[in-house]
Amino acid sequence: MAFTTAMACRLIGRKSVIGARSMSSWWRNVEPAPKDPILGVTEAFLADPSPDKVNVGVGAYRDDNGKPVVLECVREAERRIAGKLNMEYLPMGGSVKMVEETLKLAYGENSEFIKDKRIAAVQSLSGTGACRLFADFQKRFSPDSQIYIPVPTWANHHNIWRDAQVPQRTYHYYHPESRGLNFAALMDDIKNAPNGSFILLHACAHNPTGVDPSEEEWREISHLFKFQVKNHFAFFDMAYQGFASGDPERDAKSIRIFLEDGHHIGIAQSYAKNMGLYGQRVGCLSVLCENEKQAVAVKSQLQQLARPMYSNPPVHGALIVSTILGDPDLKKLWLKEVKVMADRIISMRASLRENLEKLGSPLSWKHITKQIGMFCYSGMTPEQVDRLTKEYHIYMTRNGRISMAGITTGNVGYLANAIHEVTKSA
Amino acid sequence: MASDRRIGVLARHLGVEMDFESHTATAISASPTSGFQGNSVFSHVVRAPEDPILGVTVAYNKDPSPVKLNLGVGAYRTDEGKPLVLNVVRKAEQQLVNDRSRVKEYLPITGLADFNKLSAKLIFGADSPAIQENRVTTVQCLSGTGSLRVGAEFLARHYHQRTIYIPQPTWGNHPKVFTLAGLSVKTYRYYDPATRGLNFQGLLEDLGSAPSGAIVLLHACAHNPTGVDPTPQQWENIRQLIRSKGLLPFFDSAYQGFASGSLDSDAQPVRMFVADGGELLVAQSYAKNMGLYGERVGALSIVCRNADVAGRVESQLKLVIRPMYSNPPIHGASIVAVILKDRNLYNEWTIELKAMADRIISMRRQLFDALRARGTPGDWSHIIKQIGMFTFTGLNSEQVAFMTKEYHIYMTSDGRISMAGLSSKTVPHLADAIHAAVTRAA
């Protein structure tokens, strides 16, 4: 409407002086924020012109040509949903179908808890969103509780619980000397945590170390939760189901052990890695309750937290997931494709270790094949990592974490050589 | 057996004498699915009330009546009462699906760069000096809700004034968004029930007495729920008041193009504020004007004094976003970018958008005419004066309850109806219901 525009312009005219009077910004005191340590690595990698550059920073899967992968099952699902009839709002709790299928993955296809409707579950914005919703829920309904976070952990865990204003503590996890699990110290810390503490556990493929408790150790941890007088809450972050061993059922073992022992747990699930749906932001938060009534109550409260954050979750990724998991053939295809990804990573682990040993490295690299999942905690120091970047154009986070998915048959030799060079005199 | 061995190991570890009797007794009596510890740490959690707006659809879905009408949520419907996926959206989606080179990698924390630039141009105008001077930071967020929340969290952390003034009434979710972000919420008068129009005097008084620096939420156009918008002259007065008192404007732009049918017209209030050189925030949503509801596509833009500040502000926005959901969903934003980038698709979009806006305007006309034809008591001219998706009918909650019970009309209890939910076929039924409610139920 030309009239409105003309009218508005005429009115502004000389009057713009009023707005311009105070020249300084409301935010002149805003400090520049530090770069995200993980995502900042990829930014730096992209800016590097060197033809030899290698990105073993972000945990996004790459094929043996170093290229990102869209799974065939995902492509097929997208073809099917492309002509969809509407893009209506999902309910606040997300896609019911997608949540149902997702719970089966975590709790078991024939889980009693699903049958008895004891699980409060909502679709979330991938794993991050699930953790954040849970942290907000914890703050609101267990305001006196603390969260115990393993050392080390995915850096964003600290940010999430901090922004939810839940006080955090840490527990021992990684054992630098053995490059394995510090089991005794872990058990002590959990034992000594105050009554009613919330404990964050990585269900499988610990990020960033790749160090997981053995099945036996998981049973002992679960028993510790059970036999203490203290009423701890176990919250599992499961971002790599299927990605660790290649078998989703096997990767959910820790959770199943806790369920068998009767614990009321919470779980954050993500399809970012195991379905390659990174940018779609698809995940699920679930909380196991005493009974159906409680599950309904808890779910309604989770929705109350989601509504003022984003109202309802995005539909596209959820549709992809429910299309795949709801179709037996597509689901079979998915399971195959997940195993391919996991197997490639396992073979890169073997290859990297072999290369380093062949170069005559004085250090032990056994941990490379002992650790599991997307990441390897190399044990390199920040200074060594800096040298890798400066001298060899190899990009990784300064804690020495290598994303195995970034390794290919094409670059494993170059990488091994570079690591050897910076560590041989260690 | 294995479990005894484990318990033994555990007992040694704890240095505790295990009471095997009680353990055994518990093992026998406990069912497989009941917790050993008994109570859940969340057993005190009570069920939350239904969201008043989304709850309307829940109730509607339960109703078996063949004449039921859903005038609750503001989602567009065709004259056949069906949801609509725009043609340009279908085309854009097809393009994306057919492009085998596309991947699903994480977007940056701030979202899709193209989308951000194009969104800023859409609301501020392609030739906006603020954009040309790099004074605008735009981040992709989850539709309007997400943009409001991220903006509010930023303000709660970095702005010296923690109070936000919201119009009375406003979208039901606004107070919750701002409160959870850490702001304290106050209201300013907006709707005048007597005239069913703007309480301009009250608005000026309330904003005039707000403390310097306070944040003011403004609906850019098509006020939700009332449909009452200031005139251009009134907007100018509001702008002068806000700038002279040093208040900070935060625009919620959920209906650009939907109100008048023109994207540029509907953006005038925002552009007026940008033109005076001052700072502001704006939350944009593509839910309605591109029909992308469930894809959750939106953008938060902060117009700053200079490029340096804009850069620092953007870095702090990232710190709000990362612990909330890491990075935004790619699909919806990609669709928007495809459309906004392509001259033909963009033009096609403006035509489809105008068609939606025109249909709503015609529904307003039809309802007004139908009430006049029935001789329904009262002045119903506000139906055609109000603008956008919603009409604030002026009906009270008893009348609304009556209409739901007797006529199966579903709407929010504040008397708001979504015009988009009406069709030429259903206007008579609604007119009958209103007539009955007004003449029978006080």
Side-chain angles (χ1 to χ4, degrees), chain A residues 64-79:
Chain A
D64 201 49
N65 296 311
K67 297 270 176 286
V69 172
V70 176
L71 302 186
E72 275 311 313
C73 60
V74 169
R75 282 203 196 283
E76 175 55 29
E78 274 203 308
R79 269 191 289 272

Side-chain angles (χ1 to χ4, degrees), chain B residues 5-211:
Chain B
R5 181 177 62 78
R6 274 196 294 281
I7 292 162
V9 165
L10 190 61
R12 279 197 304 279
H13 180 84
L14 294 172
V16 161
E17 279 297 305
M18 290 312 299
D19 183 343
F20 281 93
E21 255 88 72
S22 67
H23 165 65
T24 316
T26 314
I28 288 169
S29 59
S31 82
T33 60
S34 77
F36 172 87
Q37 292 151 325
N39 286 338
S40 159
V41 299
F42 297 122
S43 51
H44 61 290
V45 172
V46 294
R47 185 172 185 170
E50 281 284 0
D51 180 283
I53 302 172
L54 303 176
V56 169
T57 297
V58 170
Y60 166 86
N61 286 335
K62 289 203 183 105
D63 186 332
S65 161
V67 300
K68 64 180 180 177
L69 196 50
N70 188 356
L71 301 178
V73 175
Y76 183 80
R77 293 284 177 271
T78 63
D79 204 53
E80 288 75 43
K82 300 254 177 301
L84 178 67
V85 175
L86 301 186
N87 275 328
V88 285
V89 168
R90 282 196 199 286
K91 284 185 188 168
E93 252 203 328
Q94 206 50 59
Q95 212 176 299
L96 294 172
V97 161
N98 292 339
D99 183 355
R100 271 199 75 99
S101 71
R102 282 187 61 79
V103 292
K104 296 193 173 303
E105 297 293 282
Y106 290 124
L107 283 178
I109 299 173
T110 51
L112 192 61
D114 278 353
F115 167 84
N116 291 338
K117 284 198 186 64
L118 292 161
S119 294
K121 288 207 178 117
L122 185 65
I123 186 72
F124 299 122
D127 51 1
S128 173
I131 294 180
Q132 277 154 13
E133 292 157 23
N134 287 318
R135 294 194 282 116
V136 181
T137 171
T138 306
V139 295
Q140 180 190 338
C141 293
L142 279 102
S143 209
T145 309
S147 306
L148 290 165
R149 177 64 178 265
V150 170
E153 295 256 349
F154 169 79
L155 292 174
R157 286 170 208 210
H158 297 284
Y159 187 58
H160 64 283
Q161 248 287 7
R162 292 269 170 76
T163 308
I164 183 164
Y165 281 74
I166 65 179
Q168 192 147 43
T170 193
W171 180 45
N173 204 21
H174 275 144
K176 296 194 198 106
V177 170
F178 297 127
T179 305
L180 284 203
L183 297 176
S184 111
V185 175
K186 290 207 148 78
T187 59
Y188 62 91
R189 279 169 286 170
Y190 190 84
Y191 179 69
D192 183 354
T195 60
R196 295 190 175 91
L198 183 65
N199 183 350
F200 192 49
Q201 217 29 61
L203 181 156
L204 291 177
E205 276 170 30
D206 288 348
L207 292 187
S209 55

Side-chain angles (χ1 to χ4, degrees), chain B residues 185-355:
Chain B
V185 175
K186 290 207 148 78
T187 59
Y188 62 91
R189 279 169 286 170
Y190 190 84
Y191 179 69
D192 183 354
T195 60
R196 295 190 175 91
L198 183 65
N199 183 350
F200 192 49
Q201 217 29 61
L203 181 156
L204 291 177
E205 276 170 30
D206 288 348
L207 292 187
S209 55
S212 172
I215 310 157
V216 180
L217 178 74
L218 301 162
H219 294 225
C221 68
H223 180 271
N224 175 3
T226 68
V228 169
D229 284 348
T231 63
Q233 178 61 64
Q234 287 171 331
W235 268 120
E236 172 54 20
N237 291 117
I238 293 169
R239 184 197 68 79
Q240 284 181 34
L241 175 63
I242 284 179
R243 292 311 194 194
S244 66
K245 293 229 51 176
L247 305 175
L248 179 64
F250 194 157
F251 282 95
D252 184 351
S253 174
Y255 300 98
Q256 187 188 1
F258 224 102
S260 67
S262 156
L263 289 158
D264 286 323
S265 289
D266 289 350
Q268 277 320 301
V270 174
R271 295 184 188 177
M272 210 185 265
F273 277 74
V274 175
D276 70 17
E279 297 179 316
L280 57 92
L281 291 86
V282 53
Q284 274 172 283
S285 166
Y286 289 94
K288 287 86 174 170
N289 61 11
M290 253 194 219
L292 291 173
Y293 306 95
E295 303 291 352
R296 318 310 295 129
V297 206
L300 168 71
S301 285
I302 304 187
V303 178
C304 308
R305 281 288 174 202
N306 58 61
D308 175 60
V309 171
R312 284 184 273 132
V313 164
E314 183 170 299
S315 71
Q316 291 293 347
L317 288 173
K318 286 177 173 175
L319 293 194
V320 169
I321 293 168
R322 176 65 159 151
M324 212 184 263
Y325 51 83
S326 281
N327 38 69
I330 188 172
H331 191 70
S334 304
I335 292 174
V336 173
V338 166
I339 293 171
L340 295 184
K341 230 185 262 197
D342 178 312
R343 190 141 306 203
N344 294 327
L345 287 178
Y346 179 87
N347 288 335
E348 230 185 285
W349 173 47
T350 60
I351 293 168
E352 288 191 88
L353 184 51
K354 186 158 193 317

Side-chain angles (χ1 to χ4, degrees), chain A residues 37-38 40-42 44 48 54-58 179 208 363 365 376-403 414-415 418-424 426:
Chain A
I38 302 172
V41 168
T42 296
D48 185 333
V54 176
N55 187 358
V56 282
V58 173
R179 292 181 174 77
L363 307 170
W365 297 100
C376 163
Y377 227 40
S378 60
M380 284 187 286
T381 65
E383 294 72 36
Q384 288 168 333
V385 171
D386 288 342
R387 277 192 65 195
L388 278 182
T389 307
K390 279 199 191 67
E391 296 171 34
Y392 296 90
H393 307 276
I394 293 171
Y395 290 82
M396 51 195 283
T397 47
R398 292 185 85 234
N399 54 10
R401 180 191 88 164
I402 299 176
S403 168
Y414 176 77
L415 179 63
I419 293 175
H420 176 61
E421 287 301 316
V422 309
T423 58
K424 62 187 182 185

Side-chain angles (χ1 to χ4, degrees), chain B residues 355-366:
Chain B
M356 289 195 285
D358 284 347
R359 194 182 90 67
I360 285 175
I361 290 168
S362 119
M363 288 301 101
R364 290 182 175 280
R365 187 82 233 175
Q366 285 186 33

